Amino acid sequence: MDPDFLITAFVTLFVVIDPIGTTPIFVSLTHGMPRSRRRGIAVRACTIGLVILTLFGLLGEQVLGFIGISMPAFRIAGGLLLFLTALEMLFGKRTQRRQDQAPDDPDPDDDPSVFPLAIPLLSGPGGIASMILLTDQASGNPLAFSGIFAVMLVVFAIVFVLFLLAGHIEKALGPTGILVVTRLLGMLLAALSVQFVLDGIQNTGLAG
């Protein structure tokens, strides 16, 4: 199994799922809730997001084939989608959009674990596209294929830990720290998305 591929998978999923950017939203959605309730919401959100991305990682290519979309076409489209996400991160639009999806004054009786935490914050279009693209790259290599899901588990474990430590992390980084980290992750995602597009063009045969 190629370690570089696993590193690429980790960086892609980490940037797209964006634990650091999602953590402040989790704080705002669960503000004023008891620690036990916040922990329960974190468990449910991570579990639902993990199940959704796992299903698309296992069945996404079959779904695309059923509706007549080739993998090179989806690779190019997915790369463009991830590039737009990277631009939003670089210019601060993604954080603003995520904050707009969070209610200003959440009701303590509401459960935000399904929406907006699991969907679309943890398992949105970018995450779904990433899982389909990565599993397609690993097709024919059982170790690499299994490695993708292991990497996804690691990323969601990081999300869960950050959710549990959300208050402390927010105080430690501050708005400026979160902004800097988001910009750096956006640059990495932009480079990875361009690579997805180039791979898709090459697979079509147009690049010779």
Side-chain angles (χ1 to χ4, degrees):
M1 182 166 49
D2 185 4
D4 292 338
F5 175 73
L6 292 183
I7 293 173
T8 298
F10 175 80
V11 172
T12 301
L13 292 176
F14 186 87
V15 171
V16 171
I17 295 173
D18 192 13
I20 296 175
T22 307
T23 297
I25 307 301
F26 176 82
V27 172
S28 68
L29 288 170
T30 59
H31 179 68
M33 293 183 181
R35 179 176 298 181
S36 59
R37 179 165 173 76
R38 295 179 77 172
R39 186 185 302 112
I41 291 173
V43 170
R44 286 190 295 274
C46 291
T47 301
I48 294 170
L50 187 63
V51 169
I52 291 174
L53 293 188
T54 299
L55 289 176
F56 275 96
L58 293 173
L59 304 175
E61 191 169 352
Q62 287 80 356
V63 172
L64 293 178
F66 178 76
I67 59 180
I69 299 175
S70 67
M71 273 312 301
F74 187 83
R75 190 181 297 275
I76 294 171
L80 294 175
L81 176 62
L82 295 180
F83 186 75
L84 292 176
T85 300
L87 289 180
E88 289 183 341
M89 294 175 69
L90 286 169
F91 293 102
K93 299 296 184 182
R94 194 183 194 209
T95 300
Q96 180 181 353
R97 176 167 51 83
R98 287 186 164 190
Q99 290 172 344
D100 290 341
Q101 291 172 336
D104 295 329
D105 186 17
D107 187 339
D109 295 329
D110 287 341
D111 186 350
S113 57
V114 177
F115 177 86
L117 286 174
I119 307 168
L121 298 183
L122 296 179
S123 57
I128 291 171
S130 297
M131 283 301 297
I132 295 177
L133 294 173
L134 290 170
T135 51
D136 175 66
Q137 284 184 321
S139 59
N141 188 335
L143 287 178
F145 191 83
S146 302
I148 293 171
F149 293 94
V151 165
M152 183 178 62
L153 282 173
V154 171
V155 173
F156 270 92
I158 294 173
V159 171
F160 181 68
V161 171
L162 291 180
F163 278 3
L164 295 183
L165 301 174
H168 302 291
I169 293 173
E170 188 178 29
K171 291 178 182 177
L173 286 178
T176 302
I178 293 176
L179 186 66
V180 170
V181 172
T182 301
R183 297 297 192 274
L184 291 175
L185 293 177
M187 284 294 297
L188 289 174
L189 182 58
L192 288 170
S193 64
V194 171
Q195 187 62 54
F196 278 136
V197 173
L198 293 176
D199 291 344
I201 293 175
Q202 184 177 13
N203 290 339
T204 63
L206 296 177

